[in-house]
Short mmCIF file of all heavy atoms in Angstrom, two decimals:
data_model
loop_
_atom_site.label_atom_id
_atom_site.label_comp_id
_atom_site.label_asym_id
_atom_site.label_seq_id
_atom_site.Cartn_x
_atom_site.Cartn_y
_atom_site.Cartn_z
N THR A 151 0.83 -1.19 0.00
CA THR A 151 0.00 0.00 0.00
C THR A 151 0.88 1.25 0.00
O THR A 151 1.73 1.41 0.88
CB THR A 151 -0.92 0.05 1.23
OG1 THR A 151 -1.75 -1.13 1.26
CG2 THR A 151 -1.82 1.28 1.18
N ILE A 152 0.67 2.11 -0.98
CA ILE A 152 1.44 3.35 -1.05
C ILE A 152 0.58 4.48 -0.48
O ILE A 152 -0.62 4.51 -0.65
CB ILE A 152 1.83 3.66 -2.53
CG1 ILE A 152 2.77 4.88 -2.57
CG2 ILE A 152 0.60 3.92 -3.38
CD1 ILE A 152 3.38 5.13 -3.94
N SER A 153 1.21 5.38 0.22
CA SER A 153 0.49 6.51 0.81
C SER A 153 1.41 7.72 0.87
O SER A 153 2.63 7.60 0.85
CB SER A 153 -0.05 6.17 2.20
OG SER A 153 1.00 5.88 3.10
N GLN A 154 0.79 8.88 0.97
CA GLN A 154 1.53 10.14 1.01
C GLN A 154 1.02 10.98 2.16
O GLN A 154 -0.18 11.18 2.32
CB GLN A 154 1.34 10.85 -0.33
CG GLN A 154 2.19 12.06 -0.56
CD GLN A 154 1.95 12.61 -1.95
OE1 GLN A 154 0.96 13.28 -2.21
NE2 GLN A 154 2.86 12.31 -2.87
N ASP A 155 1.94 11.48 2.97
CA ASP A 155 1.59 12.35 4.09
C ASP A 155 2.16 13.72 3.77
O ASP A 155 3.33 14.00 4.00
CB ASP A 155 2.18 11.80 5.38
CG ASP A 155 1.68 12.56 6.60
OD1 ASP A 155 1.27 13.73 6.46
OD2 ASP A 155 1.69 11.99 7.70
N ASN A 156 1.31 14.58 3.24
CA ASN A 156 1.77 15.91 2.86
C ASN A 156 2.17 16.79 4.05
O ASN A 156 2.98 17.70 3.90
CB ASN A 156 0.70 16.61 2.04
CG ASN A 156 0.48 15.95 0.69
OD1 ASN A 156 1.42 15.42 0.09
ND2 ASN A 156 -0.74 15.99 0.21
N ALA A 157 1.60 16.51 5.21
CA ALA A 157 1.95 17.28 6.39
C ALA A 157 3.39 17.01 6.84
O ALA A 157 4.05 17.88 7.40
CB ALA A 157 0.99 16.97 7.54
N LYS A 158 3.87 15.82 6.56
CA LYS A 158 5.23 15.42 6.95
C LYS A 158 6.18 15.34 5.77
O LYS A 158 7.35 15.03 5.93
CB LYS A 158 5.19 14.08 7.65
CG LYS A 158 4.38 14.06 8.94
CD LYS A 158 4.39 12.69 9.59
CE LYS A 158 3.60 12.68 10.88
NZ LYS A 158 3.61 11.33 11.51
N ASN A 159 5.66 15.60 4.58
CA ASN A 159 6.46 15.52 3.36
C ASN A 159 7.12 14.15 3.20
O ASN A 159 8.31 14.03 2.95
CB ASN A 159 7.53 16.61 3.33
CG ASN A 159 6.95 17.99 3.23
OD1 ASN A 159 5.86 18.19 2.70
ND2 ASN A 159 7.68 18.98 3.76
N THR A 160 6.32 13.13 3.39
CA THR A 160 6.82 11.78 3.29
C THR A 160 5.95 10.89 2.40
O THR A 160 4.75 11.13 2.26
CB THR A 160 6.94 11.09 4.66
OG1 THR A 160 5.65 11.06 5.28
CG2 THR A 160 7.91 11.83 5.55
N LEU A 161 6.57 9.89 1.84
CA LEU A 161 5.90 8.89 1.04
C LEU A 161 6.19 7.56 1.73
O LEU A 161 7.31 7.33 2.18
CB LEU A 161 6.47 8.87 -0.38
CG LEU A 161 5.87 7.83 -1.34
CD1 LEU A 161 4.48 8.29 -1.79
CD2 LEU A 161 6.77 7.64 -2.56
N SER A 162 5.20 6.71 1.82
CA SER A 162 5.37 5.43 2.49
C SER A 162 4.95 4.27 1.61
O SER A 162 4.16 4.42 0.68
CB SER A 162 4.57 5.39 3.79
OG SER A 162 5.01 6.37 4.70
N LEU A 163 5.48 3.10 1.94
CA LEU A 163 5.09 1.88 1.27
C LEU A 163 4.97 0.81 2.35
O LEU A 163 5.97 0.37 2.90
CB LEU A 163 6.12 1.45 0.22
CG LEU A 163 5.75 0.20 -0.58
CD1 LEU A 163 4.54 0.50 -1.48
CD2 LEU A 163 6.93 -0.27 -1.42
N GLU A 164 3.75 0.42 2.63
CA GLU A 164 3.52 -0.63 3.61
C GLU A 164 3.48 -1.96 2.88
O GLU A 164 2.71 -2.13 1.94
CB GLU A 164 2.19 -0.38 4.34
CG GLU A 164 1.91 -1.39 5.44
CD GLU A 164 0.64 -1.09 6.22
OE1 GLU A 164 -0.05 -0.11 5.88
OE2 GLU A 164 0.35 -1.82 7.18
N MET A 165 4.30 -2.87 3.30
CA MET A 165 4.40 -4.16 2.64
C MET A 165 4.07 -5.28 3.64
O MET A 165 4.65 -5.34 4.72
CB MET A 165 5.82 -4.36 2.10
CG MET A 165 6.30 -3.22 1.21
SD MET A 165 7.95 -3.51 0.54
CE MET A 165 8.93 -3.38 2.06
N ILE A 166 3.15 -6.13 3.27
CA ILE A 166 2.80 -7.28 4.09
C ILE A 166 2.89 -8.53 3.26
O ILE A 166 3.00 -8.49 2.03
CB ILE A 166 1.36 -7.14 4.67
CG1 ILE A 166 0.32 -7.13 3.54
CG2 ILE A 166 1.25 -5.89 5.53
CD1 ILE A 166 -1.11 -7.18 4.02
N SER A 167 2.86 -9.67 3.93
CA SER A 167 2.94 -10.96 3.25
C SER A 167 4.11 -11.00 2.28
O SER A 167 3.98 -11.43 1.13
CB SER A 167 1.63 -11.26 2.51
OG SER A 167 0.54 -11.28 3.40
N LEU A 168 5.24 -10.55 2.75
CA LEU A 168 6.42 -10.48 1.88
C LEU A 168 6.88 -11.85 1.41
O LEU A 168 6.80 -12.84 2.14
CB LEU A 168 7.55 -9.76 2.62
CG LEU A 168 7.38 -8.25 2.71
CD1 LEU A 168 8.30 -7.67 3.78
CD2 LEU A 168 7.65 -7.60 1.35
N LYS A 169 7.38 -11.87 0.19
CA LYS A 169 7.85 -13.09 -0.44
C LYS A 169 9.32 -12.93 -0.82
O LYS A 169 9.81 -11.81 -1.00
CB LYS A 169 7.05 -13.37 -1.71
CG LYS A 169 5.54 -13.44 -1.49
CD LYS A 169 4.83 -13.60 -2.82
CE LYS A 169 3.32 -13.66 -2.63
NZ LYS A 169 2.61 -13.80 -3.92
N PRO A 170 10.05 -14.02 -0.95
CA PRO A 170 11.46 -13.93 -1.33
C PRO A 170 11.67 -13.13 -2.62
O PRO A 170 12.67 -12.43 -2.75
CB PRO A 170 11.86 -15.40 -1.51
CG PRO A 170 11.01 -16.11 -0.50
CD PRO A 170 9.67 -15.41 -0.62
N GLU A 171 10.73 -13.23 -3.55
CA GLU A 171 10.85 -12.49 -4.80
C GLU A 171 10.69 -10.98 -4.65
O GLU A 171 10.90 -10.24 -5.59
CB GLU A 171 9.85 -13.01 -5.85
CG GLU A 171 8.43 -13.09 -5.34
CD GLU A 171 8.04 -14.48 -4.89
OE1 GLU A 171 8.83 -15.11 -4.16
OE2 GLU A 171 6.95 -14.95 -5.27
N ASP A 172 10.33 -10.53 -3.45
CA ASP A 172 10.24 -9.10 -3.18
C ASP A 172 11.60 -8.53 -2.84
O ASP A 172 11.77 -7.32 -2.70
CB ASP A 172 9.27 -8.82 -2.03
CG ASP A 172 7.84 -9.14 -2.37
OD1 ASP A 172 7.41 -8.84 -3.51
OD2 ASP A 172 7.12 -9.68 -1.51
N THR A 173 12.58 -9.39 -2.66
CA THR A 173 13.94 -8.95 -2.31
C THR A 173 14.49 -8.05 -3.41
O THR A 173 14.55 -8.43 -4.57
CB THR A 173 14.85 -10.17 -2.12
OG1 THR A 173 14.39 -10.92 -1.00
CG2 THR A 173 16.29 -9.71 -1.86
N ALA A 174 14.90 -6.86 -3.02
CA ALA A 174 15.43 -5.89 -3.98
C ALA A 174 15.82 -4.61 -3.26
O ALA A 174 15.54 -4.43 -2.08
CB ALA A 174 14.38 -5.57 -5.05
N MET A 175 16.48 -3.73 -4.01
CA MET A 175 16.74 -2.39 -3.52
C MET A 175 15.51 -1.58 -3.90
O MET A 175 15.11 -1.58 -5.07
CB MET A 175 17.99 -1.80 -4.16
CG MET A 175 18.35 -0.42 -3.67
SD MET A 175 19.00 -0.42 -1.97
CE MET A 175 20.66 -1.06 -2.26
N TYR A 176 14.90 -0.92 -2.95
CA TYR A 176 13.72 -0.13 -3.21
C TYR A 176 14.04 1.35 -3.27
O TYR A 176 14.73 1.90 -2.39
CB TYR A 176 12.67 -0.37 -2.11
CG TYR A 176 11.95 -1.69 -2.28
CD1 TYR A 176 12.62 -2.90 -2.07
CD2 TYR A 176 10.62 -1.75 -2.67
CE1 TYR A 176 11.98 -4.11 -2.24
CE2 TYR A 176 9.97 -2.95 -2.85
CZ TYR A 176 10.65 -4.13 -2.63
OH TYR A 176 10.00 -5.33 -2.80
N TYR A 177 13.56 2.00 -4.32
CA TYR A 177 13.83 3.41 -4.55
C TYR A 177 12.57 4.26 -4.54
O TYR A 177 11.52 3.86 -5.04
CB TYR A 177 14.48 3.61 -5.91
CG TYR A 177 15.80 2.90 -6.09
CD1 TYR A 177 15.86 1.60 -6.57
CD2 TYR A 177 17.00 3.55 -5.77
CE1 TYR A 177 17.07 0.95 -6.72
CE2 TYR A 177 18.21 2.90 -5.94
CZ TYR A 177 18.25 1.61 -6.41
OH TYR A 177 19.45 0.97 -6.58
N CYS A 178 12.69 5.44 -3.99
CA CYS A 178 11.61 6.41 -3.99
C CYS A 178 11.87 7.32 -5.19
O CYS A 178 13.02 7.66 -5.48
CB CYS A 178 11.65 7.23 -2.69
SG CYS A 178 10.45 8.56 -2.57
N ALA A 179 10.82 7.72 -5.87
CA ALA A 179 10.94 8.58 -7.04
C ALA A 179 9.83 9.61 -7.08
O ALA A 179 8.75 9.40 -6.53
CB ALA A 179 10.92 7.73 -8.31
N ALA A 180 10.10 10.73 -7.73
CA ALA A 180 9.12 11.80 -7.85
C ALA A 180 9.19 12.45 -9.23
O ALA A 180 10.26 12.52 -9.83
CB ALA A 180 9.34 12.84 -6.77
N ALA A 181 8.04 12.90 -9.68
CA ALA A 181 7.94 13.60 -10.96
C ALA A 181 7.63 15.06 -10.67
O ALA A 181 6.60 15.35 -10.05
CB ALA A 181 6.87 12.97 -11.83
N GLN A 182 8.50 15.94 -11.12
CA GLN A 182 8.30 17.37 -10.87
C GLN A 182 7.41 18.01 -11.92
O GLN A 182 6.90 19.10 -11.71
CB GLN A 182 9.65 18.10 -10.85
CG GLN A 182 10.54 17.68 -9.70
CD GLN A 182 11.89 18.36 -9.74
OE1 GLN A 182 12.58 18.34 -10.75
NE2 GLN A 182 12.26 18.98 -8.62
N GLN A 183 7.21 17.33 -13.01
CA GLN A 183 6.36 17.84 -14.08
C GLN A 183 5.39 16.77 -14.52
O GLN A 183 5.67 15.58 -14.39
CB GLN A 183 7.20 18.30 -15.27
CG GLN A 183 8.15 19.44 -14.98
CD GLN A 183 8.95 19.83 -16.22
OE1 GLN A 183 9.21 19.00 -17.09
NE2 GLN A 183 9.33 21.09 -16.29
N VAL A 184 4.26 17.20 -15.03
CA VAL A 184 3.28 16.25 -15.53
C VAL A 184 3.91 15.52 -16.70
O VAL A 184 4.68 16.08 -17.48
CB VAL A 184 1.98 16.97 -15.94
CG1 VAL A 184 2.24 17.92 -17.12
CG2 VAL A 184 0.92 15.96 -16.31
N SER A 185 3.59 14.25 -16.83
CA SER A 185 4.16 13.44 -17.88
C SER A 185 3.13 12.47 -18.42
O SER A 185 2.23 12.03 -17.71
CB SER A 185 5.37 12.67 -17.34
OG SER A 185 5.85 11.75 -18.28
N LEU A 186 3.31 12.14 -19.70
CA LEU A 186 2.43 11.17 -20.32
C LEU A 186 2.95 9.76 -20.14
O LEU A 186 2.33 8.81 -20.61
CB LEU A 186 2.26 11.50 -21.81
CG LEU A 186 1.54 12.81 -22.12
CD1 LEU A 186 1.47 13.01 -23.63
CD2 LEU A 186 0.15 12.80 -21.53
N HIS A 187 4.10 9.64 -19.51
CA HIS A 187 4.65 8.32 -19.25
C HIS A 187 3.71 7.50 -18.38
O HIS A 187 3.02 8.04 -17.52
CB HIS A 187 6.02 8.41 -18.58
CG HIS A 187 7.12 8.86 -19.47
ND1 HIS A 187 7.46 10.18 -19.62
CD2 HIS A 187 7.97 8.15 -20.25
CE1 HIS A 187 8.47 10.27 -20.46
NE2 HIS A 187 8.79 9.05 -20.85
N ILE A 188 3.73 6.23 -18.59
CA ILE A 188 2.94 5.33 -17.74
C ILE A 188 3.47 5.47 -16.32
O ILE A 188 4.68 5.51 -16.12
CB ILE A 188 3.05 3.87 -18.25
CG1 ILE A 188 2.46 3.77 -19.65
CG2 ILE A 188 2.35 2.91 -17.30
CD1 ILE A 188 2.65 2.42 -20.30
N PRO A 189 2.60 5.57 -15.32
CA PRO A 189 3.00 5.80 -13.93
C PRO A 189 4.13 4.93 -13.38
O PRO A 189 4.93 5.40 -12.56
CB PRO A 189 1.71 5.58 -13.16
CG PRO A 189 0.65 6.01 -14.12
CD PRO A 189 1.14 5.48 -15.44
N LEU A 190 4.21 3.70 -13.80
CA LEU A 190 5.21 2.79 -13.25
C LEU A 190 6.44 2.61 -14.14
O LEU A 190 7.16 1.63 -14.00
CB LEU A 190 4.59 1.44 -12.92
CG LEU A 190 3.53 1.46 -11.82
CD1 LEU A 190 2.99 0.05 -11.58
CD2 LEU A 190 4.10 2.04 -10.54
N THR A 191 6.68 3.56 -15.02
CA THR A 191 7.87 3.51 -15.87
C THR A 191 8.90 4.50 -15.36
O THR A 191 8.57 5.60 -14.93
CB THR A 191 7.53 3.82 -17.34
OG1 THR A 191 6.95 5.13 -17.43
CG2 THR A 191 6.55 2.81 -17.90
N VAL A 192 10.16 4.12 -15.45
CA VAL A 192 11.26 4.93 -14.97
C VAL A 192 11.29 6.30 -15.61
O VAL A 192 11.58 7.31 -14.96
CB VAL A 192 12.61 4.21 -15.21
CG1 VAL A 192 13.78 5.14 -14.89
CG2 VAL A 192 12.68 2.95 -14.37
N GLY A 193 10.97 6.37 -16.90
CA GLY A 193 11.01 7.63 -17.64
C GLY A 193 10.06 8.69 -17.13
O GLY A 193 10.19 9.86 -17.50
N GLY A 194 9.12 8.32 -16.32
CA GLY A 194 8.17 9.28 -15.82
C GLY A 194 8.62 10.06 -14.60
O GLY A 194 7.88 10.91 -14.11
N TYR A 195 9.82 9.79 -14.12
CA TYR A 195 10.34 10.42 -12.90
C TYR A 195 11.72 11.02 -13.10
O TYR A 195 12.58 10.43 -13.76
CB TYR A 195 10.35 9.39 -11.76
CG TYR A 195 8.99 8.80 -11.53
CD1 TYR A 195 8.55 7.71 -12.30
CD2 TYR A 195 8.11 9.36 -10.61
CE1 TYR A 195 7.27 7.21 -12.13
CE2 TYR A 195 6.83 8.86 -10.44
CZ TYR A 195 6.42 7.78 -11.20
OH TYR A 195 5.14 7.28 -11.04
N ASN A 196 11.94 12.16 -12.48
CA ASN A 196 13.23 12.84 -12.62
C ASN A 196 13.94 13.09 -11.31
O ASN A 196 15.03 13.68 -11.30
CB ASN A 196 13.04 14.17 -13.39
CG ASN A 196 12.19 15.16 -12.63
OD1 ASN A 196 11.21 14.81 -11.97
ND2 ASN A 196 12.57 16.44 -12.71
N VAL A 197 13.36 12.66 -10.20
CA VAL A 197 13.99 12.80 -8.89
C VAL A 197 14.02 11.43 -8.25
O VAL A 197 12.98 10.78 -8.15
CB VAL A 197 13.24 13.80 -7.99
CG1 VAL A 197 13.95 13.95 -6.65
CG2 VAL A 197 13.13 15.16 -8.67
N TRP A 198 15.20 11.01 -7.79
CA TRP A 198 15.35 9.68 -7.22
C TRP A 198 16.12 9.66 -5.90
O TRP A 198 17.01 10.48 -5.69
CB TRP A 198 16.11 8.78 -8.20
CG TRP A 198 15.36 8.52 -9.47
CD1 TRP A 198 15.31 9.31 -10.58
CD2 TRP A 198 14.54 7.38 -9.75
NE1 TRP A 198 14.51 8.73 -11.53
CE2 TRP A 198 14.02 7.55 -11.06
CE3 TRP A 198 14.19 6.24 -9.03
CZ2 TRP A 198 13.19 6.62 -11.65
CZ3 TRP A 198 13.36 5.30 -9.62
CH2 TRP A 198 12.86 5.50 -10.92
#
């Protein structure tokens, strides 16, 4: 579950029922400008 707390300027990702295949380096990303890129594509974000 992804959530955003604008009062604290934070983004969260709650993960439950984790599986071995979830093992990875997790990155936070943000888009400063509107983009036509699909939301889950790397090209849609310019801040990492």
Side-chain angles (χ1 to χ4, degrees):
T151 302
I152 187 171
S153 62
Q154 189 176 79
D155 188 336
N156 293 327
K158 299 180 179 180
N159 294 332
T160 59
L161 179 75
S162 298
L163 183 68
E164 184 176 2
M165 307 181 292
I166 63 172
S167 301
L168 285 164
K169 305 174 180 180
E171 51 262 46
D172 293 319
T173 296
M175 182 72 75
Y176 283 70
Y177 300 89
C178 176
Q182 295 177 308
Q183 297 180 331
V184 64
S185 173
L186 294 179
H187 286 91
I188 296 174
L190 296 181
T191 59
V192 172
Y195 303 85
N196 65 322
V197 181
W198 295 84

